[in-house]
Structures are given as C-alpha cells and as structure tokens.
C-alpha cells in the first residue's frame, strides 16, 4: 500500500518530537490528506477552541497517491480550525513539498502547542528537529527560503513558510511552499505563525514504495495520463492559458463579479485575461507570461510564471520583483482585477507577487480591498483611516498600496488583514461583505451560475469554488451540460460534486484532473496502489463521510443552518447585464432539497441516521 503508515507529532510547547503509526482503520474510512487529517483534528481538538490559541492543532497531511507516478500526485493539505471562519479549514497545495514529505517516509505532521520563540521544523527522512528561527522571523517567505537554502546547502530541500502577513495576524494569511504554491485559504498561515512556527523544511530521499500491485498500478497510471492528454481542457486549455482561460469566458456569460459584486461583467476583462498575459507589452516587447509550470508529477502544467515590466511604477525600485515568480491564476486575477475594477495587468501581477512573497490568500485579499473601496466610495472609510490613500475602484496605485500594507501589517493594512466580514462590521456596513461563514467569494457570480450559489452557501470552509465546482457542468458541460440560469437539479449536482471532490482531495491528487477524470478513472489507480477494494462506490461513500464529518465539526463549533446563506446583494439585487440580467440567486429554492438529499433536518442538522450510517465520532 502507498501509505507510509507513519505520523510525525511535534509538540512545540515541550519541544518534543515523536513518531507514531498511522491509524489505518481511519485511513480505510477517510483515505488520507483532507479526510484523514480532518479525522485527526476532530479526535484531538475541541471544536470550540480558539483558532489562534495553543489548543488548536495544525496538520500537514498527504494522500496515499501523493509522491507516486499518478499524474498530479504532488498534493498535500493543511488542516486546522480557521481563524477567519471559526469552521474547519483544509487548504490544499501543490508544488513539491507534499511529495518530499511522503518521500521522507511520513503521511502526516501534527503540530500542537506553541513554541516560546520562533522555530523551524527540519525533516531529513526519518530524522526531525526543531531549529531556532529568530533570524527568520520578520522575513518574507522568499527571504526565509533563501536563508534556509544557504544554511543547509541543499538545493533539494523543500520549504513551506509563512510571511510577515501571518506574523502580523492577517486572518487570511497563507502557507507558501516552493516560493509560489500555497495552502492559501482560510488563514492556515495565521495559525502556523501563532504557534511561532516559521517554516517546515523537508528533504526526503527514500521514495514512495509499498505499492500493492506495481504492474497493474503503472498500467493504470499510463492509461489515465493519456486520458488527461487527450482532453481539450487538461491537454490543451490549461497548459496554454492556465485557469486564466476562464476570464473572458466567465465575463461573456455575465458571471464575473465586478466592483465588490455590484456588477456581473468587467469592461477590462480582456486586459487581465490569459490571452492578455501572452501578448507582448508595448513598453518592452515582452509578454507577462514567461512560461507554464507543473507541480510534482503533473502532466497538465497549468501553473503560470510571469514577469512585470521593470519600468512599471510598482517595481521601479524593487529589484526582488524584476525576475520570474508565480503568475496570475484566474481567481487571483479576478479578485485583484475585476473585483477591484483594476485593469492594469502589471499592477495585478505585482499584487500577486506580494501575496506570493508574504503569504496572503489573493482571493480574500482582493475581495477585502474591493469591500474597502465600496466603503471608501460611500464615505465610511476616508483618507483619515488610510493615511491619505484614496481607495477608488479602478485604482492600480491603491491596489498595490493595499498589498504592501497587508504584507507587513502596517497602518490600514491591519484593518484589511481582518478580512471583509470584520472590516465591514467595523465600519458599520456588514451587508457589503461578500462572504459565507466569513470567507470571501471566489470568481463566479451566483446570479449567473445558480449552482455556485448553493455551493458557496453550503461549503464547509466558507465560500469556496473548489469544494463543488459546478462551473464544470453549468459552463463547460463537464461531465454533462446543465443550464446555469436555472435552479432545478442543482441540489443533486452540488451534492455529487461535493462528495466526489472530498474523495479526490483525500487521495493526494489535483481536482483539475476532474475536467477529464471521474471516480471511475481514479478508482483503478488507487485500488492498484492500496490495500482494500477501492471501487467507485467506496470512494463516493468515503467522500460523503468526509463531508458529513466536516459538517459535524462545524456544528459543534457553533455554526448552524443559518450560516448556509448568501449576502443580501446576491439574493435581492438582480444582475444588471448579460444573460443573467434581472436574476438573483435562487438559494431558497435549492437549499431545502439539498438538506433532504443529505438526509439532514430541515434546519441543516445531522440526523442520528446519518451519524450511524457513516459511523461518525460522538
């Protein structure tokens, strides 16, 4: 089997590191990564614990396919209780550190307590130590990464670190690995910084073994890599334009949230699109996009590597940004572009570089800036609070300034680092926060894509597209086309996507494979790698079990069915343009059916029957 069967436990309070066997009974029920990490979190933390207190735990978890030759088998997740939402947090990342951890012989790291002073966790195969990191505290992710590599003189070390934003308490700060990949959402970076853990550095040279049936496994892997290569999305669209292939598509169908979701189309979408990233700049004749890039074992290579025009106002005096870094993905380009009204590609790329360097979730950052701009427009925030900066929609200068402020937690950056829910509450207009459970919306307006409204409302980690990407069906026709403007059938669609995605996230592979693969493609690969009969039905059941486990944790943490809601703007203010003109989201029509399909009560509580079916912990 491809589990390493080992957990590394790190008690920061006592400075003690130990290893223990992986709970294989739980692995049989929850697979790995997201599911299994959540099962450990449920077992070991009080759902009502303070997210930034020492009683919360931070779990780095791989899946059974992480580090194997399966395409995209480089994923890992960080599981904790979110300081942004108060709900369960599971933030998924690619890059190379997940595979490195598995290659070092570990399925999971459980971090508990709080160190007295800054430390780094260093892992070399089965050896682990806590190293003083006072010299790294106050440094950006990029600076810390450079210092660690210089200290140990090993270019193969893989590093996950938090930046200055997390140290300053930004509630949507991320954990950045491999310089520009991120466990990005829900504030997992803030939890890591609260424990005085600056970085995790891993070197694994053992590889991943224990494959149940190597010959059958490699045959299944090869067959399904071909499926990805032959698919129009995973074989052509994503390699060429990345997720930015969506910018113009979503704008055309009238579902691109603009100016804090007041509008559903952005006039300058074409200026910040994937196509625009490939066009030579007038200033220097070079494109924003340098090349595409892949995470460990990935045959899709949707990642973007970009540069900024050196004469652009954002980087004239900042040589650290003169080279290549992780470029814009669709969600980041939307949040810091359309949602703030900024059509300056270099300025949006600059803000993205800052998010890479100092570890901020670009979705929550951009959406929070958009909320601040609307508050500024109505006079609730003034230049008195900002120190003179005018937060106007469309201002590239304001966007770049906000990124710098949040990165260091200085001045108005402290307020922006609260996230839009707390920001809007502070300045007297909570209705302007475009969030669910305190987490900011991604880049799909639920008036133009109805299923996404239900997806956002019911997501266990707050507004999220990656928990149920019904855009695949409603816009792209995968696995079958559904009408984005109707509510009929969307409850079943959302539930199916949620359950399947929970299983995918737990295997250790990327959700982008689902543009070409279904569970029928994944089950043979997992079954050949791991003990047990991993059928499609078993995977689907495991996904549903994981979803209910997360829901149960949230209910015990104090959330209720009332949190399965959308901001008033999306339920009462109709879309003004595009195919969805005149429509609001029909959440009230979809939610009761969704609860019924889940087997929950009418107010969204788990029933004894559901708890018994999935053997959920008490």
């Amino acid at each position: 089997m491809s589990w390493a069967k080992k957990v590394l436990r790190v008690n920061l309070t006592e400075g003690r590191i130990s290893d223990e066997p992986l709970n294989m009974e739980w692995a049989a029920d929850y697979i790995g990564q997201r599911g299994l990490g959540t099962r450990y979190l449920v077992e070991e933390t009080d759902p009502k614990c303070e997210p930034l207190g020492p009683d919360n735990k931070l779990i780095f978890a791989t899946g059974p396919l992480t580090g194997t030759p399966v395409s995209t088998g480089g994923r890992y997740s960080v599981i904790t209780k979110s300081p942004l939402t108060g709900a369960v947090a599971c933030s998924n990342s690619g890059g190379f550190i997940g595979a490195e951890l598995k290659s070092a012989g570990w399925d999971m790291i459980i971090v508990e307590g709080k160190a007295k002073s800054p430390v780094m966790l260093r892992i070399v195969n089965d050896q682990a130590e806590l190293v003083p990191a006072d010299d790294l505290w106050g440094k950006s992710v990029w600076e810390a990464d450079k210092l660690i590599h210089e200290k140990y003189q090993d270019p193969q070390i893989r590093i996950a670190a938090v930046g200055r934003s997390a140290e300053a308490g930004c509630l949507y700060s991320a954990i950045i690995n491999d310089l520009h990949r991120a466990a990005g959402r829900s504030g997992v970076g803030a939890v890591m910084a609260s424990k005085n853990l600056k970085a995790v550095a891993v070197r694994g040279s053992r590889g991943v073994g224990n494959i149940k049936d190597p010959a059958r496994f490699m045959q299944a892997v090869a067959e399904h890599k071909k499926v990805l290569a032959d698919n129009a999305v995973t074989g052509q669209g994503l390699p060429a334009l990345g997720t930015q292939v969506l910018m113009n598509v979503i704008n055309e169908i009238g579902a691109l949230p603009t100016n804090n979701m007041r509008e559903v189309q952005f006039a300058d979408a074409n200026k910040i699109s994937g196509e625009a990233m490939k066009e030579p700049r007038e200033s220097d004749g070079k494109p924003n996009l340098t090349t595409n890039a892949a995470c460990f074992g990935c045959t899709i290579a949707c990642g973007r590597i970009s540069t900024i025009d050196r004469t652009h106002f954002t980087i004239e005096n900042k040589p650290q940004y003169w080279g290549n870094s992780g470029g814009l993905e669709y969600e980041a380009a939307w949040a810091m572009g359309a949602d703030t009204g900024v059509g300056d590609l270099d300025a949006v790329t600059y803000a993205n570089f800052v998010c890479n360097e100092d570890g901020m979730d670009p979705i929550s950052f951009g959406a929070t800036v958009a909320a601040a701009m609307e508050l500024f427009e109505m006079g609730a925030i003034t230049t008195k609070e900002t120190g003179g900066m005018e937060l106007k929609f469309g201002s590239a200068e304001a966007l770049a300034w906000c990124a710098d402020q949040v990165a260091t937690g200085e001045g108005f950056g402290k307020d922006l680092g609260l996230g839009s829910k707390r920001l809007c509450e502070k300045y007297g207009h909570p209705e302007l926060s475009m969030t669910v459970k305190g987490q900011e919306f991604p880049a799909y307006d639920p008036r133009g894509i109805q299923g996404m409204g239900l997806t956002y409302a019911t997501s266990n980690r707050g507004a999220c597209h990656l928990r149920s990407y019904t855009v695949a069906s409603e816009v792209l026709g995968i696995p079958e086309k559904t009408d984005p403007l109707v509510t009929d059938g969307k409850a079943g669609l959302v539930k199916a996507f949620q359950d399947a995605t929970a299983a995918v996230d737990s295997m250790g592979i990327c959700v982008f494979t689902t543009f070409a693969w279904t569970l029928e493609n994944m089950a043979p690969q997992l079954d050949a790698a791991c003990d047990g009969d991993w059928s499609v039905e078993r995977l689907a059941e495991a996904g549903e079990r994981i979803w209910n486990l997360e829901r149960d944790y949230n209910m015990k943490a104090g959330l209720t069915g009332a949190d399965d809601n959308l901001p008033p703007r999306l339920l009462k203010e109709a879309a003004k343009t595009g195919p969805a003109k005149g429509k609001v989201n029909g959440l009230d029509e979809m939610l009761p059916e969704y609860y019924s399909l889940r087997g929950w009560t009418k107010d969204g509580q788990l029933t004894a029957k559901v708890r018994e079916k999935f053997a959920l912990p008490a």
Side-chain angles (χ1 to χ4, degrees):
M1 62 188 71
S2 58
W3 290 284
K5 295 187 177 182
K6 285 179 64 179
V7 175
L8 184 69
R9 187 173 294 274
V10 181
N11 187 305
L12 294 173
T13 303
E14 299 177 4
R16 176 169 44 84
I17 297 175
S18 58
D19 65 85
E20 60 192 61
L22 186 72
N23 189 317
M24 295 308 298
E25 289 185 9
W26 291 353
D29 285 337
Y30 295 97
I31 308 174
Q33 199 162 319
R34 174 180 162 188
L36 191 54
T38 302
R39 181 64 183 86
Y40 272 86
L41 184 77
V42 167
E43 184 71 17
E44 298 190 9
T45 65
D46 182 345
K48 295 188 181 298
C49 73
E50 167 54 47
L52 297 180
D55 292 337
N56 194 12
K57 297 195 178 185
L58 189 72
I59 301 173
F60 295 78
T62 67
L65 296 182
T66 302
T68 73
V70 169
S71 184
T72 77
R75 310 302 295 189
Y76 82 100
S77 289
V78 180
I79 300 99
T80 189
K81 182 180 179 182
S82 167
L84 185 68
T85 66
V88 66
C90 175
S91 196
N92 192 310
S93 183
F96 294 84
I97 194 172
E100 199 74 16
L101 181 63
K102 193 71 171 292
S103 188
W106 304 100
D107 292 303
M108 192 180 298
I109 306 169
I110 300 176
V111 181
E112 51 196 23
K114 177 180 180 177
K116 294 178 181 178
S117 59
V119 294
M120 176 185 77
L121 174 63
R122 182 180 178 228
I123 300 169
V124 180
N125 291 325
D126 61 354
Q127 301 299 308
E129 62 176 338
L130 290 170
V131 181
D134 299 85
D135 59 326
L136 303 179
W137 203 257
K139 304 293 187 184
S140 73
V141 171
W142 293 358
E143 292 169 329
D145 188 281
K146 181 181 179 182
L147 289 170
I148 294 168
H149 275 103
E150 287 176 350
K151 180 175 181 178
Y152 294 105
Q153 290 295 300
D154 183 353
Q156 296 303 312
I157 293 174
R158 300 297 180 179
I159 299 166
V162 293
R164 294 174 296 177
S165 70
E167 294 175 15
C170 173
L171 294 181
Y172 48 82
S173 52
I175 297 172
I176 304 294
N177 59 274
D178 302 294
L179 294 176
H180 58 85
R181 305 308 301 179
R185 303 223 70 192
S186 307
V188 295
V191 176
M192 184 163 163
S194 76
K195 295 183 175 300
N196 277 331
L197 180 61
K198 178 66 176 181
V200 177
V202 185
R203 183 69 170 95
S205 60
R206 295 183 168 183
V208 176
N210 302 325
I211 300 298
K212 181 177 74 174
D213 188 336
R216 181 160 64 93
F217 177 66
M218 293 307 297
Q219 181 180 359
V221 167
E223 289 176 358
H224 291 98
K225 282 183 177 178
K226 188 176 186 305
V227 173
L228 294 176
D230 292 343
N231 181 271
V233 177
T234 54
Q236 300 170 39
L238 287 174
L241 295 176
T243 56
Q244 273 280 65
V245 69
L246 289 167
M247 181 65 71
N248 287 324
V249 173
I250 301 300
N251 194 48
E252 288 172 8
I253 68 166
L256 187 69
T258 300
N259 291 5
N260 201 32
M261 304 191 84
R262 290 191 305 201
E263 312 291 338
V264 296
Q265 291 179 304
F266 181 41
D268 288 338
N270 63 311
K271 295 181 181 179
I272 57 170
S273 65
E275 292 83 353
M277 290 173 68
K278 299 185 76 170
E279 290 294 320
R281 292 184 287 254
E282 291 184 8
S283 56
D284 60 5
K286 299 177 181 178
N288 173 280
L289 180 66
T290 304
T291 185
N292 65 337
C295 300
F296 175 88
C298 180
T299 57
I300 299 172
C302 74
R304 307 291 93 183
I305 303 296
S306 290
T307 58
I308 301 172
D309 176 4
R310 289 193 184 184
T311 65
H312 194 265
F313 78 92
T314 54
I315 67 165
E316 281 182 301
N317 300 311
K318 297 183 178 181
Q320 73 266 36
Y321 295 126
W322 288 357
N324 294 318
S325 184
L328 291 165
E329 311 291 347
Y330 169 61
E331 304 295 335
W334 159 76
M336 298 181 291
D339 206 32
T340 65
V342 174
D344 182 330
L345 181 59
D346 277 335
V348 178
T349 301
Y350 170 77
N352 195 63
F353 279 14
V354 174
C355 288
N356 290 340
E357 185 183 12
D358 267 301
M360 296 114 72
D361 169 15
I363 300 176
S364 284
F365 165 71
T368 300
V369 172
M373 286 176 167
E374 186 165 0
L375 288 164
F376 186 87
E377 185 178 81
M378 67 182 356
I381 291 174
T382 69
T383 53
K384 179 181 178 182
E385 285 78 27
T386 65
M389 177 58 67
E390 295 188 342
L391 300 183
K392 293 183 177 180
F393 282 113
S395 172
E397 181 183 10
L399 174 68
W401 177 85
C402 287
D404 292 338
Q405 292 279 296
V406 177
T408 59
E410 296 173 348
F412 190 64
K414 275 286 187 185
D415 280 356
L416 290 172
L418 296 172
S420 68
K421 180 178 185 291
R422 292 168 178 83
L423 177 80
C424 291
E425 288 173 347
K426 178 174 180 176
Y427 289 99
H429 290 277
E431 75 281 0
L432 299 186
S433 171
M434 299 297 110
T435 56
V436 171
K437 301 177 177 73
Q439 181 156 276
E440 289 73 14
F441 281 92
Y444 310 91
D445 195 292
R447 291 166 290 198
I449 308 175
Q450 290 289 319
M452 290 306 290
L454 182 61
T455 284
Y456 295 153
T458 58
S459 171
N460 287 329
R461 71 164 181 174
C464 177
H465 59 300
L466 292 175
R467 287 297 181 265
S468 164
Y469 195 67
T470 65
V471 174
S473 172
E474 296 182 277
V475 178
L476 303 176
I478 301 170
E480 60 183 29
K481 186 72 171 73
T482 54
D483 188 340
L485 300 180
V486 304
T487 58
D488 289 350
K490 297 301 167 64
L493 186 71
V494 167
K495 178 183 179 297
F497 269 86
Q498 288 173 339
D499 294 345
T501 301
V504 173
D505 287 344
S506 300
M507 283 186 267
I509 58 177
C510 179
V511 71
F512 286 178
T513 59
T514 60
F515 288 118
W517 290 352
T518 67
L519 293 182
E520 291 184 354
N521 301 98
M522 299 171 197
Q525 299 180 79
L526 185 66
D527 186 61
C530 299
D531 282 349
D533 178 19
W534 289 98
S535 63
V536 171
E537 292 75 21
R538 183 176 175 187
L539 278 176
E541 182 181 356
E544 189 172 6
R545 179 179 295 109
I546 292 162
W547 191 266
N548 279 283
L549 179 74
E550 293 172 337
R551 177 76 175 193
D552 190 44
Y553 184 89
N554 285 351
M555 297 297 104
K556 291 174 180 175
L559 280 73
T560 69
D563 294 297
D564 298 334
N565 209 343
L566 298 174
R569 172 164 289 167
L570 305 178
L571 299 173
K572 297 178 180 179
E573 298 178 23
K576 301 172 185 176
T577 61
K581 183 177 180 180
K583 282 190 170 291
V584 297
N585 185 262
L587 179 63
D588 289 346
E589 302 165 22
M590 298 181 283
L591 192 59
E593 182 184 358
Y594 173 84
Y595 283 169
S596 177
L597 290 173
R598 282 276 176 217
W600 299 345
T601 66
K602 292 182 179 180
D603 60 352
Q605 298 293 318
L606 272 67
T607 61
K609 184 177 180 181
V610 167
R611 298 184 64 83
E612 181 181 358
K613 176 181 178 181
F614 297 110
L616 297 179

